[in-house]
PDB file of all heavy atoms in Angstrom:
ATOM      1  N   ASP R1449      53.491  37.774 -26.638  1.00  0.00           N
ATOM      2  CA  ASP R1449      52.271  38.617 -26.503  1.00  0.00           C
ATOM      3  C   ASP R1449      51.574  38.811 -27.855  1.00  0.00           C
ATOM      4  O   ASP R1449      50.336  39.081 -27.852  1.00  0.00           O
ATOM      5  CB  ASP R1449      52.643  39.964 -25.930  1.00  0.00           C
ATOM      6  CG  ASP R1449      53.050  39.867 -24.480  1.00  0.00           C
ATOM      7  OD1 ASP R1449      52.773  38.849 -23.805  1.00  0.00           O
ATOM      8  OD2 ASP R1449      53.756  40.808 -24.016  1.00  0.00           O
ATOM      9  N   GLU R1450      52.267  38.657 -28.962  1.00  0.00           N
ATOM     10  CA  GLU R1450      51.630  38.939 -30.302  1.00  0.00           C
ATOM     11  C   GLU R1450      50.911  37.744 -30.837  1.00  0.00           C
ATOM     12  O   GLU R1450      50.249  37.828 -31.891  1.00  0.00           O
ATOM     13  CB  GLU R1450      52.738  39.341 -31.317  1.00  0.00           C
ATOM     14  CG  GLU R1450      53.473  40.656 -31.015  1.00  0.00           C
ATOM     15  CD  GLU R1450      54.570  40.396 -30.006  1.00  0.00           C
ATOM     16  OE1 GLU R1450      55.222  39.327 -30.060  1.00  0.00           O
ATOM     17  OE2 GLU R1450      54.793  41.313 -29.137  1.00  0.00           O
ATOM     18  N   ILE R1451      50.965  36.644 -30.151  1.00  0.00           N
ATOM     19  CA  ILE R1451      50.412  35.374 -30.727  1.00  0.00           C
ATOM     20  C   ILE R1451      49.386  34.793 -29.730  1.00  0.00           C
ATOM     21  O   ILE R1451      49.536  34.760 -28.549  1.00  0.00           O
ATOM     22  CB  ILE R1451      51.490  34.357 -30.959  1.00  0.00           C
ATOM     23  CG1 ILE R1451      52.370  34.771 -32.185  1.00  0.00           C
ATOM     24  CG2 ILE R1451      50.987  32.921 -31.163  1.00  0.00           C
ATOM     25  CD1 ILE R1451      53.578  33.907 -32.437  1.00  0.00           C
ATOM     26  N   SER R1452      48.249  34.300 -30.325  1.00  0.00           N
ATOM     27  CA  SER R1452      47.228  33.617 -29.508  1.00  0.00           C
ATOM     28  C   SER R1452      47.391  32.147 -29.668  1.00  0.00           C
ATOM     29  O   SER R1452      47.362  31.551 -30.710  1.00  0.00           O
ATOM     30  CB  SER R1452      45.826  34.039 -30.060  1.00  0.00           C
ATOM     31  OG  SER R1452      44.816  33.225 -29.491  1.00  0.00           O
ATOM     32  N   ILE R1453      47.600  31.483 -28.487  1.00  0.00           N
ATOM     33  CA  ILE R1453      47.812  30.068 -28.429  1.00  0.00           C
ATOM     34  C   ILE R1453      46.693  29.446 -27.576  1.00  0.00           C
ATOM     35  O   ILE R1453      46.442  29.890 -26.430  1.00  0.00           O
ATOM     36  CB  ILE R1453      49.169  29.695 -27.827  1.00  0.00           C
ATOM     37  CG1 ILE R1453      50.302  30.315 -28.656  1.00  0.00           C
ATOM     38  CG2 ILE R1453      49.287  28.156 -27.785  1.00  0.00           C
ATOM     39  CD1 ILE R1453      51.656  30.081 -28.055  1.00  0.00           C
ATOM     40  N   ILE R1454      45.990  28.453 -28.123  1.00  0.00           N
ATOM     41  CA  ILE R1454      44.961  27.717 -27.393  1.00  0.00           C
ATOM     42  C   ILE R1454      45.258  26.256 -27.477  1.00  0.00           C
ATOM     43  O   ILE R1454      45.605  25.705 -28.502  1.00  0.00           O
ATOM     44  CB  ILE R1454      43.550  28.017 -27.964  1.00  0.00           C
ATOM     45  CG1 ILE R1454      43.260  29.538 -28.043  1.00  0.00           C
ATOM     46  CG2 ILE R1454      42.454  27.374 -27.132  1.00  0.00           C
ATOM     47  CD1 ILE R1454      41.937  29.929 -28.592  1.00  0.00           C
ATOM     48  N   THR R1455      45.107  25.555 -26.340  1.00  0.00           N
ATOM     49  CA  THR R1455      45.351  24.080 -26.279  1.00  0.00           C
ATOM     50  C   THR R1455      44.054  23.398 -25.849  1.00  0.00           C
ATOM     51  O   THR R1455      43.250  23.983 -25.149  1.00  0.00           O
ATOM     52  CB  THR R1455      46.461  23.738 -25.323  1.00  0.00           C
ATOM     53  OG1 THR R1455      46.030  23.819 -23.983  1.00  0.00           O
ATOM     54  CG2 THR R1455      47.728  24.618 -25.561  1.00  0.00           C
ATOM     55  N   ILE R1456      43.885  22.181 -26.278  1.00  0.00           N
ATOM     56  CA  ILE R1456      42.868  21.290 -25.745  1.00  0.00           C
ATOM     57  C   ILE R1456      43.555  19.973 -25.378  1.00  0.00           C
ATOM     58  O   ILE R1456      44.227  19.361 -26.184  1.00  0.00           O
ATOM     59  CB  ILE R1456      41.678  21.080 -26.685  1.00  0.00           C
ATOM     60  CG1 ILE R1456      40.610  20.120 -26.044  1.00  0.00           C
ATOM     61  CG2 ILE R1456      42.120  20.575 -28.062  1.00  0.00           C
ATOM     62  CD1 ILE R1456      39.260  20.227 -26.580  1.00  0.00           C
ATOM     63  N   GLU R1457      43.458  19.620 -24.065  1.00  0.00           N
ATOM     64  CA  GLU R1457      44.244  18.537 -23.541  1.00  0.00           C
ATOM     65  C   GLU R1457      43.432  17.592 -22.700  1.00  0.00           C
ATOM     66  O   GLU R1457      42.348  17.922 -22.213  1.00  0.00           O
ATOM     67  CB  GLU R1457      45.373  19.153 -22.719  1.00  0.00           C
ATOM     68  CG  GLU R1457      46.230  20.197 -23.393  1.00  0.00           C
ATOM     69  CD  GLU R1457      47.140  20.882 -22.483  1.00  0.00           C
ATOM     70  OE1 GLU R1457      47.933  20.213 -21.790  1.00  0.00           O
ATOM     71  OE2 GLU R1457      47.099  22.179 -22.403  1.00  0.00           O
ATOM     72  N   ASP R1458      43.950  16.382 -22.530  1.00  0.00           N
ATOM     73  CA  ASP R1458      43.289  15.363 -21.671  1.00  0.00           C
ATOM     74  C   ASP R1458      44.370  14.515 -20.962  1.00  0.00           C
ATOM     75  O   ASP R1458      44.810  13.488 -21.543  1.00  0.00           O
ATOM     76  CB  ASP R1458      42.332  14.513 -22.482  1.00  0.00           C
ATOM     77  CG  ASP R1458      41.609  13.498 -21.629  1.00  0.00           C
ATOM     78  OD1 ASP R1458      41.473  13.714 -20.453  1.00  0.00           O
ATOM     79  OD2 ASP R1458      41.171  12.437 -22.197  1.00  0.00           O
ATOM     80  N   PRO R1459      44.807  14.924 -19.768  1.00  0.00           N
ATOM     81  CA  PRO R1459      44.405  16.118 -18.991  1.00  0.00           C
ATOM     82  C   PRO R1459      45.399  17.281 -19.273  1.00  0.00           C
ATOM     83  O   PRO R1459      46.431  17.087 -19.942  1.00  0.00           O
ATOM     84  CB  PRO R1459      44.487  15.625 -17.584  1.00  0.00           C
ATOM     85  CG  PRO R1459      45.689  14.697 -17.598  1.00  0.00           C
ATOM     86  CD  PRO R1459      45.670  14.050 -18.963  1.00  0.00           C
ATOM     87  N   ILE R1460      45.159  18.393 -18.611  1.00  0.00           N
ATOM     88  CA  ILE R1460      46.099  19.534 -18.648  1.00  0.00           C
ATOM     89  C   ILE R1460      47.198  19.144 -17.618  1.00  0.00           C
ATOM     90  O   ILE R1460      46.871  19.042 -16.459  1.00  0.00           O
ATOM     91  CB  ILE R1460      45.471  20.838 -18.248  1.00  0.00           C
ATOM     92  CG1 ILE R1460      44.413  21.227 -19.334  1.00  0.00           C
ATOM     93  CG2 ILE R1460      46.514  21.960 -18.085  1.00  0.00           C
ATOM     94  CD1 ILE R1460      43.510  22.425 -18.976  1.00  0.00           C
ATOM     95  N   GLU R1461      48.386  18.945 -18.077  1.00  0.00           N
ATOM     96  CA  GLU R1461      49.433  18.450 -17.139  1.00  0.00           C
ATOM     97  C   GLU R1461      50.147  19.621 -16.459  1.00  0.00           C
ATOM     98  O   GLU R1461      50.512  19.520 -15.263  1.00  0.00           O
ATOM     99  CB  GLU R1461      50.464  17.590 -17.911  1.00  0.00           C
ATOM    100  CG  GLU R1461      49.821  16.335 -18.467  1.00  0.00           C
ATOM    101  CD  GLU R1461      50.851  15.200 -18.602  1.00  0.00           C
ATOM    102  OE1 GLU R1461      51.954  15.350 -18.186  1.00  0.00           O
ATOM    103  OE2 GLU R1461      50.416  14.153 -19.152  1.00  0.00           O
ATOM    104  N   TYR R1462      50.386  20.708 -17.207  1.00  0.00           N
ATOM    105  CA  TYR R1462      51.061  21.864 -16.596  1.00  0.00           C
ATOM    106  C   TYR R1462      50.308  23.136 -17.027  1.00  0.00           C
ATOM    107  O   TYR R1462      49.900  23.276 -18.219  1.00  0.00           O
ATOM    108  CB  TYR R1462      52.525  21.998 -17.017  1.00  0.00           C
ATOM    109  CG  TYR R1462      53.341  20.835 -16.604  1.00  0.00           C
ATOM    110  CD1 TYR R1462      53.828  19.902 -17.526  1.00  0.00           C
ATOM    111  CD2 TYR R1462      53.618  20.548 -15.232  1.00  0.00           C
ATOM    112  CE1 TYR R1462      54.603  18.843 -17.160  1.00  0.00           C
ATOM    113  CE2 TYR R1462      54.379  19.446 -14.880  1.00  0.00           C
ATOM    114  CZ  TYR R1462      54.876  18.582 -15.806  1.00  0.00           C
ATOM    115  OH  TYR R1462      55.609  17.523 -15.492  1.00  0.00           O
ATOM    116  N   SER R1463      50.202  24.072 -16.132  1.00  0.00           N
ATOM    117  CA  SER R1463      49.613  25.375 -16.426  1.00  0.00           C
ATOM    118  C   SER R1463      50.693  26.301 -16.980  1.00  0.00           C
ATOM    119  O   SER R1463      51.746  26.436 -16.376  1.00  0.00           O
ATOM    120  CB  SER R1463      48.959  25.954 -15.196  1.00  0.00           C
ATOM    121  OG  SER R1463      48.550  27.268 -15.438  1.00  0.00           O
ATOM    122  N   ILE R1464      50.429  26.897 -18.174  1.00  0.00           N
ATOM    123  CA  ILE R1464      51.405  27.776 -18.775  1.00  0.00           C
ATOM    124  C   ILE R1464      50.817  29.168 -18.926  1.00  0.00           C
ATOM    125  O   ILE R1464      49.702  29.371 -19.511  1.00  0.00           O
ATOM    126  CB  ILE R1464      51.811  27.275 -20.192  1.00  0.00           C
ATOM    127  CG1 ILE R1464      52.260  25.840 -20.183  1.00  0.00           C
ATOM    128  CG2 ILE R1464      52.851  28.185 -20.821  1.00  0.00           C
ATOM    129  CD1 ILE R1464      52.545  25.232 -21.504  1.00  0.00           C
ATOM    130  N   GLY R1465      51.457  30.158 -18.339  1.00  0.00           N
ATOM    131  CA  GLY R1465      50.925  31.541 -18.354  1.00  0.00           C
ATOM    132  C   GLY R1465      50.841  32.064 -19.779  1.00  0.00           C
ATOM    133  O   GLY R1465      51.732  31.854 -20.616  1.00  0.00           O
ATOM    134  N   GLY R1466      49.760  32.864 -20.062  1.00  0.00           N
ATOM    135  CA  GLY R1466      49.637  33.483 -21.345  1.00  0.00           C
ATOM    136  C   GLY R1466      48.983  32.578 -22.452  1.00  0.00           C
ATOM    137  O   GLY R1466      48.919  32.988 -23.584  1.00  0.00           O
ATOM    138  N   ILE R1467      48.595  31.411 -21.994  1.00  0.00           N
ATOM    139  CA  ILE R1467      48.004  30.454 -22.963  1.00  0.00           C
ATOM    140  C   ILE R1467      46.633  29.990 -22.417  1.00  0.00           C
ATOM    141  O   ILE R1467      46.452  29.795 -21.248  1.00  0.00           O
ATOM    142  CB  ILE R1467      48.946  29.253 -23.137  1.00  0.00           C
ATOM    143  CG1 ILE R1467      50.166  29.624 -23.894  1.00  0.00           C
ATOM    144  CG2 ILE R1467      48.208  28.075 -23.886  1.00  0.00           C
ATOM    145  CD1 ILE R1467      51.216  28.609 -23.942  1.00  0.00           C
ATOM    146  N   ASP R1468      45.648  29.890 -23.384  1.00  0.00           N
ATOM    147  CA  ASP R1468      44.321  29.375 -22.979  1.00  0.00           C
ATOM    148  C   ASP R1468      44.351  27.860 -23.099  1.00  0.00           C
ATOM    149  O   ASP R1468      44.483  27.351 -24.175  1.00  0.00           O
ATOM    150  CB  ASP R1468      43.251  29.980 -23.880  1.00  0.00           C
ATOM    151  CG  ASP R1468      43.004  31.478 -23.596  1.00  0.00           C
ATOM    152  OD1 ASP R1468      43.142  31.882 -22.491  1.00  0.00           O
ATOM    153  OD2 ASP R1468      42.805  32.198 -24.592  1.00  0.00           O
ATOM    154  N   GLN R1469      44.176  27.173 -21.979  1.00  0.00           N
ATOM    155  CA  GLN R1469      44.178  25.707 -21.967  1.00  0.00           C
ATOM    156  C   GLN R1469      42.840  25.169 -21.626  1.00  0.00           C
ATOM    157  O   GLN R1469      42.227  25.553 -20.572  1.00  0.00           O
ATOM    158  CB  GLN R1469      45.277  25.212 -20.955  1.00  0.00           C
ATOM    159  CG  GLN R1469      46.699  25.580 -21.349  1.00  0.00           C
ATOM    160  CD  GLN R1469      47.686  25.250 -20.260  1.00  0.00           C
ATOM    161  OE1 GLN R1469      47.955  26.002 -19.384  1.00  0.00           O
ATOM    162  NE2 GLN R1469      48.214  24.043 -20.343  1.00  0.00           N
ATOM    163  N   ILE R1470      42.337  24.281 -22.454  1.00  0.00           N
ATOM    164  CA  ILE R1470      40.975  23.694 -22.279  1.00  0.00           C
ATOM    165  C   ILE R1470      41.121  22.202 -21.909  1.00  0.00           C
ATOM    166  O   ILE R1470      41.904  21.452 -22.552  1.00  0.00           O
ATOM    167  CB  ILE R1470      40.173  23.879 -23.595  1.00  0.00           C
ATOM    168  CG1 ILE R1470      40.008  25.354 -23.926  1.00  0.00           C
ATOM    169  CG2 ILE R1470      38.796  23.146 -23.454  1.00  0.00           C
ATOM    170  CD1 ILE R1470      39.469  25.584 -25.350  1.00  0.00           C
ATOM    171  N   GLN R1471      40.367  21.778 -20.905  1.00  0.00           N
ATOM    172  CA  GLN R1471      40.353  20.346 -20.526  1.00  0.00           C
ATOM    173  C   GLN R1471      39.233  19.621 -21.173  1.00  0.00           C
ATOM    174  O   GLN R1471      38.081  20.031 -21.159  1.00  0.00           O
ATOM    175  CB  GLN R1471      40.194  20.315 -18.963  1.00  0.00           C
ATOM    176  CG  GLN R1471      39.811  18.963 -18.430  1.00  0.00           C
ATOM    177  CD  GLN R1471      41.012  18.029 -18.297  1.00  0.00           C
ATOM    178  OE1 GLN R1471      42.054  18.403 -17.827  1.00  0.00           O
ATOM    179  NE2 GLN R1471      40.857  16.847 -18.860  1.00  0.00           N
ATOM    180  N   VAL R1472      39.583  18.488 -21.830  1.00  0.00           N
ATOM    181  CA  VAL R1472      38.559  17.635 -22.404  1.00  0.00           C
ATOM    182  C   VAL R1472      37.577  17.129 -21.317  1.00  0.00           C
ATOM    183  O   VAL R1472      38.053  16.815 -20.247  1.00  0.00           O
ATOM    184  CB  VAL R1472      39.233  16.451 -23.080  1.00  0.00           C
ATOM    185  CG1 VAL R1472      38.222  15.318 -23.402  1.00  0.00           C
ATOM    186  CG2 VAL R1472      39.876  16.916 -24.468  1.00  0.00           C
ATOM    187  N   ASN R1473      36.300  17.102 -21.635  1.00  0.00           N
ATOM    188  CA  ASN R1473      35.295  16.589 -20.694  1.00  0.00           C
ATOM    189  C   ASN R1473      34.178  15.888 -21.424  1.00  0.00           C
ATOM    190  O   ASN R1473      33.183  16.475 -21.853  1.00  0.00           O
ATOM    191  CB  ASN R1473      34.751  17.740 -19.849  1.00  0.00           C
ATOM    192  CG  ASN R1473      33.839  17.262 -18.704  1.00  0.00           C
ATOM    193  OD1 ASN R1473      33.471  16.078 -18.667  1.00  0.00           O
ATOM    194  ND2 ASN R1473      33.466  18.166 -17.831  1.00  0.00           N
ATOM    195  N   PRO R1474      34.369  14.583 -21.744  1.00  0.00           N
ATOM    196  CA  PRO R1474      33.409  13.871 -22.551  1.00  0.00           C
ATOM    197  C   PRO R1474      31.947  13.902 -21.918  1.00  0.00           C
ATOM    198  O   PRO R1474      30.976  13.809 -22.668  1.00  0.00           O
ATOM    199  CB  PRO R1474      33.935  12.434 -22.552  1.00  0.00           C
ATOM    200  CG  PRO R1474      35.385  12.564 -22.272  1.00  0.00           C
ATOM    201  CD  PRO R1474      35.507  13.737 -21.302  1.00  0.00           C
ATOM    202  N   ARG R1475      31.853  14.010 -20.614  1.00  0.00           N
ATOM    203  CA  ARG R1475      30.526  14.010 -19.978  1.00  0.00           C
ATOM    204  C   ARG R1475      29.672  15.202 -20.393  1.00  0.00           C
ATOM    205  O   ARG R1475      28.459  15.144 -20.392  1.00  0.00           O
ATOM    206  CB  ARG R1475      30.669  13.956 -18.439  1.00  0.00           C
ATOM    207  CG  ARG R1475      30.979  12.549 -17.904  1.00  0.00           C
ATOM    208  CD  ARG R1475      31.027  12.542 -16.399  1.00  0.00           C
ATOM    209  NE  ARG R1475      32.290  13.125 -16.022  1.00  0.00           N
ATOM    210  CZ  ARG R1475      32.744  13.184 -14.736  1.00  0.00           C
ATOM    211  NH1 ARG R1475      31.970  12.637 -13.800  1.00  0.00           N
ATOM    212  NH2 ARG R1475      33.886  13.786 -14.365  1.00  0.00           N
ATOM    213  N   THR R1476      30.409  16.318 -20.718  1.00  0.00           N
ATOM    214  CA  THR R1476      29.632  17.491 -21.166  1.00  0.00           C
ATOM    215  C   THR R1476      29.694  17.651 -22.700  1.00  0.00           C
ATOM    216  O   THR R1476      29.292  18.714 -23.224  1.00  0.00           O
ATOM    217  CB  THR R1476      30.183  18.780 -20.526  1.00  0.00           C
ATOM    218  OG1 THR R1476      31.588  18.943 -20.891  1.00  0.00           O
ATOM    219  CG2 THR R1476      30.090  18.717 -19.031  1.00  0.00           C
ATOM    220  N   GLY R1477      30.221  16.619 -23.369  1.00  0.00           N
ATOM    221  CA  GLY R1477      30.282  16.698 -24.821  1.00  0.00           C
ATOM    222  C   GLY R1477      31.544  17.416 -25.340  1.00  0.00           C
ATOM    223  O   GLY R1477      31.667  17.660 -26.566  1.00  0.00           O
ATOM    224  N   LEU R1478      32.421  17.809 -24.443  1.00  0.00           N
ATOM    225  CA  LEU R1478      33.656  18.485 -24.856  1.00  0.00           C
ATOM    226  C   LEU R1478      34.787  17.451 -25.154  1.00  0.00           C
ATOM    227  O   LEU R1478      35.636  17.179 -24.331  1.00  0.00           O
ATOM    228  CB  LEU R1478      34.148  19.502 -23.771  1.00  0.00           C
ATOM    229  CG  LEU R1478      35.339  20.393 -24.104  1.00  0.00           C
ATOM    230  CD1 LEU R1478      35.101  21.199 -25.364  1.00  0.00           C
ATOM    231  CD2 LEU R1478      35.645  21.297 -22.925  1.00  0.00           C
ATOM    232  N   THR R1479      34.661  16.935 -26.391  1.00  0.00           N
ATOM    233  CA  THR R1479      35.710  15.960 -26.830  1.00  0.00           C
ATOM    234  C   THR R1479      36.794  16.779 -27.552  1.00  0.00           C
ATOM    235  O   THR R1479      36.699  17.977 -27.713  1.00  0.00           O
ATOM    236  CB  THR R1479      35.094  15.021 -27.814  1.00  0.00           C
ATOM    237  OG1 THR R1479      34.559  15.758 -28.946  1.00  0.00           O
ATOM    238  CG2 THR R1479      33.963  14.166 -27.214  1.00  0.00           C
ATOM    239  N   PHE R1480      37.877  16.093 -27.995  1.00  0.00           N
ATOM    240  CA  PHE R1480      38.909  16.738 -28.751  1.00  0.00           C
ATOM    241  C   PHE R1480      38.337  17.414 -29.992  1.00  0.00           C
ATOM    242  O   PHE R1480      38.609  18.559 -30.324  1.00  0.00           O
ATOM    243  CB  PHE R1480      39.997  15.771 -29.153  1.00  0.00           C
ATOM    244  CG  PHE R1480      41.062  15.556 -28.136  1.00  0.00           C
ATOM    245  CD1 PHE R1480      41.288  14.254 -27.591  1.00  0.00           C
ATOM    246  CD2 PHE R1480      41.791  16.585 -27.635  1.00  0.00           C
ATOM    247  CE1 PHE R1480      42.227  14.062 -26.621  1.00  0.00           C
ATOM    248  CE2 PHE R1480      42.783  16.405 -26.604  1.00  0.00           C
ATOM    249  CZ  PHE R1480      42.999  15.114 -26.132  1.00  0.00           C
ATOM    250  N   ALA R1481      37.430  16.691 -30.698  1.00  0.00           N
ATOM    251  CA  ALA R1481      36.880  17.194 -31.961  1.00  0.00           C
ATOM    252  C   ALA R1481      35.996  18.428 -31.710  1.00  0.00           C
ATOM    253  O   ALA R1481      36.093  19.449 -32.382  1.00  0.00           O
ATOM    254  CB  ALA R1481      36.108  16.085 -32.674  1.00  0.00           C
ATOM    255  N   ALA R1482      35.088  18.320 -30.717  1.00  0.00           N
ATOM    256  CA  ALA R1482      34.195  19.422 -30.384  1.00  0.00           C
ATOM    257  C   ALA R1482      34.977  20.633 -29.922  1.00  0.00           C
ATOM    258  O   ALA R1482      34.702  21.807 -30.302  1.00  0.00           O
ATOM    259  CB  ALA R1482      33.160  19.012 -29.340  1.00  0.00           C
ATOM    260  N   GLY R1483      35.959  20.401 -29.055  1.00  0.00           N
ATOM    261  CA  GLY R1483      36.797  21.514 -28.516  1.00  0.00           C
ATOM    262  C   GLY R1483      37.574  22.175 -29.676  1.00  0.00           C
ATOM    263  O   GLY R1483      37.690  23.445 -29.656  1.00  0.00           O
ATOM    264  N   LEU R1484      38.092  21.387 -30.598  1.00  0.00           N
ATOM    265  CA  LEU R1484      38.850  21.925 -31.685  1.00  0.00           C
ATOM    266  C   LEU R1484      37.962  22.809 -32.616  1.00  0.00           C
ATOM    267  O   LEU R1484      38.423  23.899 -33.070  1.00  0.00           O
ATOM    268  CB  LEU R1484      39.482  20.789 -32.506  1.00  0.00           C
ATOM    269  CG  LEU R1484      40.508  21.068 -33.578  1.00  0.00           C
ATOM    270  CD1 LEU R1484      41.537  22.099 -33.074  1.00  0.00           C
ATOM    271  CD2 LEU R1484      41.178  19.810 -34.011  1.00  0.00           C
ATOM    272  N   ARG R1485      36.705  22.376 -32.816  1.00  0.00           N
ATOM    273  CA  ARG R1485      35.807  23.226 -33.599  1.00  0.00           C
ATOM    274  C   ARG R1485      35.603  24.562 -32.904  1.00  0.00           C
ATOM    275  O   ARG R1485      35.593  25.619 -33.551  1.00  0.00           O
ATOM    276  CB  ARG R1485      34.469  22.486 -33.776  1.00  0.00           C
ATOM    277  CG  ARG R1485      34.462  21.448 -34.799  1.00  0.00           C
ATOM    278  CD  ARG R1485      33.033  21.121 -35.238  1.00  0.00           C
ATOM    279  NE  ARG R1485      33.002  19.856 -35.914  1.00  0.00           N
ATOM    280  CZ  ARG R1485      32.823  18.625 -35.359  1.00  0.00           C
ATOM    281  NH1 ARG R1485      32.678  18.569 -33.993  1.00  0.00           N
ATOM    282  NH2 ARG R1485      32.807  17.535 -36.030  1.00  0.00           N
ATOM    283  N   SER R1486      35.432  24.577 -31.583  1.00  0.00           N
ATOM    284  CA  SER R1486      35.209  25.724 -30.849  1.00  0.00           C
ATOM    285  C   SER R1486      36.441  26.641 -30.894  1.00  0.00           C
ATOM    286  O   SER R1486      36.333  27.864 -31.039  1.00  0.00           O
ATOM    287  CB  SER R1486      34.861  25.391 -29.405  1.00  0.00           C
ATOM    288  OG  SER R1486      34.761  26.541 -28.593  1.00  0.00           O
ATOM    289  N   ILE R1487      37.660  26.066 -30.772  1.00  0.00           N
ATOM    290  CA  ILE R1487      38.882  26.810 -30.809  1.00  0.00           C
ATOM    291  C   ILE R1487      39.034  27.557 -32.089  1.00  0.00           C
ATOM    292  O   ILE R1487      39.462  28.768 -32.134  1.00  0.00           O
ATOM    293  CB  ILE R1487      40.064  25.884 -30.551  1.00  0.00           C
ATOM    294  CG1 ILE R1487      40.151  25.446 -29.136  1.00  0.00           C
ATOM    295  CG2 ILE R1487      41.408  26.584 -30.936  1.00  0.00           C
ATOM    296  CD1 ILE R1487      41.137  24.311 -28.814  1.00  0.00           C
ATOM    297  N   LEU R1488      38.650  26.972 -33.204  1.00  0.00           N
ATOM    298  CA  LEU R1488      38.818  27.602 -34.510  1.00  0.00           C
ATOM    299  C   LEU R1488      37.955  28.847 -34.696  1.00  0.00           C
ATOM    300  O   LEU R1488      38.237  29.714 -35.473  1.00  0.00           O
ATOM    301  CB  LEU R1488      38.451  26.591 -35.653  1.00  0.00           C
ATOM    302  CG  LEU R1488      39.506  25.469 -35.842  1.00  0.00           C
ATOM    303  CD1 LEU R1488      38.903  24.404 -36.792  1.00  0.00           C
ATOM    304  CD2 LEU R1488      40.759  26.049 -36.375  1.00  0.00           C
ATOM    305  N   ARG R1489      36.980  29.017 -33.800  1.00  0.00           N
ATOM    306  CA  ARG R1489      36.148  30.217 -33.828  1.00  0.00           C
ATOM    307  C   ARG R1489      36.690  31.314 -32.887  1.00  0.00           C
ATOM    308  O   ARG R1489      36.139  32.386 -32.737  1.00  0.00           O
ATOM    309  CB  ARG R1489      34.700  29.907 -33.430  1.00  0.00           C
ATOM    310  CG  ARG R1489      33.957  28.987 -34.457  1.00  0.00           C
ATOM    311  CD  ARG R1489      32.484  28.907 -34.170  1.00  0.00           C
ATOM    312  NE  ARG R1489      32.195  28.106 -32.977  1.00  0.00           N
ATOM    313  CZ  ARG R1489      31.956  26.790 -32.940  1.00  0.00           C
ATOM    314  NH1 ARG R1489      31.998  26.098 -34.062  1.00  0.00           N
ATOM    315  NH2 ARG R1489      31.646  26.162 -31.835  1.00  0.00           N
TER     316      ARG R1489
END
């Protein structure tokens, strides 16, 4: 509970409770690099 964990995956293979998981979507511009920049904020 004390730690914030965010993932960016292609694809999300398993859903894990308590973690924010982001799916890569190149069609909307959400690449690994773009998603990682967003996560850092």
Side-chain angles (χ1 to χ4, degrees):
D1449 291 340
E1450 297 82 34
I1451 287 175
S1452 169
I1453 302 175
I1454 306 179
T1455 75
I1456 179 158
E1457 307 170 55
D1458 183 23
I1460 296 170
E1461 296 208 6
Y1462 299 111
S1463 173
I1464 306 173
I1467 290 172
D1468 292 323
Q1469 294 173 271
I1470 300 169
Q1471 166 77 51
V1472 164
N1473 188 349
R1475 280 180 289 186
T1476 62
L1478 184 56
T1479 60
F1480 275 121
L1484 190 46
R1485 280 199 197 90
S1486 175
I1487 287 170
L1488 289 170
R1489 295 191 288 270

